[in-house]
């Protein structure tokens, strides 16, 4: 019996050899004790998958074997399985908690969208630059951002500060997780005279960039500024401020 008890986990997980499985199932037919132990193991394995810790605790400590009083060996096995189940559950919950995105990550993921250029970027008298612009748009509109970045950077250096080109480059940086590069591009852009739409877009991207970099105080100032306006992102900025205040109510 002891040998068969030691094989329960392997039987459940399908790790027995064909001969071992045949012998185990033959013992199951004649041994109520083994059937009882198998049922308990399955119950505990099922409980591990439950999200509710209290439910697992009830399953572990309220489950009662049928038929006869537990022997000391049975109690030892039950305690061992209960401990293993609890440890496994804590490991799962610890993993989920460790890998849960932070609030700044969630805000960025939920609110960042790739900039959509309207028409072509500003025309120039240089045919080589015009050709490069056409290539940029082809890559960018195909979501080939890594290919777009060096071309956009070269245009920015020659033709700065074109708002649309800058916002395309900032968007590509953010899509490729180059957050510091996006920050260094967007901050100077706000010092130039831009249309209201481009100004709001640059502030929005910069606020999201600072959020992702967890520069929350600086980001909140931008969200407040955006929320005071009547632009497209005003409502979204207000919602983000509510999230920040709810997560950290002691701060303004």
């Amino acid at each position: 019996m002891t040998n068969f008890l030691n094989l329960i986990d392997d039987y459940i997980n399908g790790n027995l050899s064909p001969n071992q499985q045949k012998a185990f199932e033959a013992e199951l037919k004649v041994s109520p004790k083994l059937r009882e132990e198998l049922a308990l193991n399955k119950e505990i394995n099922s409980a591990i998958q439950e999200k509710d810790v209290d439910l697992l605790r009830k399953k572990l400590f309220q489950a009662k074997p049928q038929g006869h009083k537990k022997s000391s060996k049975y109690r030892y096995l039950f305690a061992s399985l209960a401990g293993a189940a609890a440890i496994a559950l804590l490991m799962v919950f610890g993993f989920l908690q460790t890998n849960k995105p932070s609030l700044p990550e969630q805000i960025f993921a939920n609110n960042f969208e790739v900039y959509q250029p309207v028409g072509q970027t500003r025309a120039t008298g240089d045919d080589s630059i015009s050709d490069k612009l056409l290539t940029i748009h082809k890559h960018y509109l195909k979501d080939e951002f890594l290919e777009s970045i060096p071309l956009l950077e070269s245009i920015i250096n020659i033709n700065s500060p074109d708002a649309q080109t800058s916002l395309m480059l900032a968007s590509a940086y953010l899509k490729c997780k180059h957050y510091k590069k996006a920050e260094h591009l967007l901050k100077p852009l706000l010092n130039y005279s831009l249309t209201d739409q481009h100004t709001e877009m640059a502030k929005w991207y910069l606020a999201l960039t600072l959020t992702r970099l967890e520069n929350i105080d600086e980001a909140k100032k931008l969200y407040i500024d955006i929320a005071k306006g009547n632009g497209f992102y005003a409502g979204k900025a207000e919602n983000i401020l509510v999230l920040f205040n709810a997560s950290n109510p002691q701060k303004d």
Side-chain angles (χ1 to χ4, degrees), residues 42-52 56 89 92-93:
K42 288 182 177 180
E43 179 74 3
I44 290 173
N45 287 345
S46 176
I48 291 174
Q49 300 175 15
E50 298 287 347
K51 295 181 180 179
D52 190 337
L56 174 61
L89 184 67
V92 170
F93 274 86

Side-chain angles (χ1 to χ4, degrees), residues 156-173:
I156 291 292
N157 292 337
I158 297 171
N159 196 31
S160 181
D162 176 56
Q164 181 152 274
T165 305
S166 299
L167 291 172
M168 287 173 66
L169 180 55
S171 179
Y173 280 151

Side-chain angles (χ1 to χ4, degrees), residues 46-182:
S46 176
I48 291 174
Q49 300 175 15
E50 298 287 347
K51 295 181 180 179
D52 190 337
V53 177
D54 288 335
L55 178 58
L56 174 61
R57 180 171 52 81
K58 290 176 182 178
K59 285 178 179 289
L60 292 174
F61 295 104
Q62 292 181 3
K64 295 182 179 179
Q66 302 297 320
H68 61 277
K69 187 176 180 180
K70 293 183 288 185
S71 66
S72 60
K73 182 183 294 185
Y74 184 90
R75 288 196 297 272
Y76 174 78
L77 176 63
F78 181 81
S80 298
L81 292 172
I87 291 170
L89 184 67
L90 289 173
M91 290 176 65
V92 170
F93 274 86
F95 175 81
L96 293 175
Q97 190 66 29
T98 300
N99 290 274
K100 181 180 178 181
S102 65
L103 180 60
E105 289 175 315
Q106 291 175 1
I107 288 173
F108 181 86
N110 292 339
N111 290 279
F112 170 70
E113 294 180 350
V114 172
Y115 177 75
Q116 297 299 321
V118 179
Q120 297 291 338
T121 49
R122 190 169 63 195
T124 70
D126 189 327
D127 289 341
S128 65
I129 295 177
S130 297
D131 290 342
K132 190 176 292 187
L133 286 170
L134 291 174
T135 303
I136 288 169
H137 275 261
K138 288 179 182 178
H139 284 304
Y140 188 88
L141 295 175
K142 291 180 180 179
D143 294 342
E144 296 171 349
F145 299 107
L146 283 174
E147 293 82 359
S148 301
I149 285 174
L151 295 171
L152 284 163
E153 287 175 336
S154 68
I155 296 298
I156 291 292
N157 292 337
I158 297 171
N159 196 31
S160 181
D162 176 56
Q164 181 152 274
T165 305
S166 299
L167 291 172
M168 287 173 66
L169 180 55
S171 179
Y173 280 151
L174 293 174
K175 191 68 177 177
C176 296
K177 302 182 179 180
H178 300 330
Y179 305 117
K180 293 300 293 185
K181 287 186 175 181

Side-chain angles (χ1 to χ4, degrees), residues 161 185-194 199 202:
L185 171 66
L186 289 164
K187 282 185 174 179
L189 184 63
L190 290 174
N191 294 326
Y192 291 93
S193 178
L194 307 175
T199 298

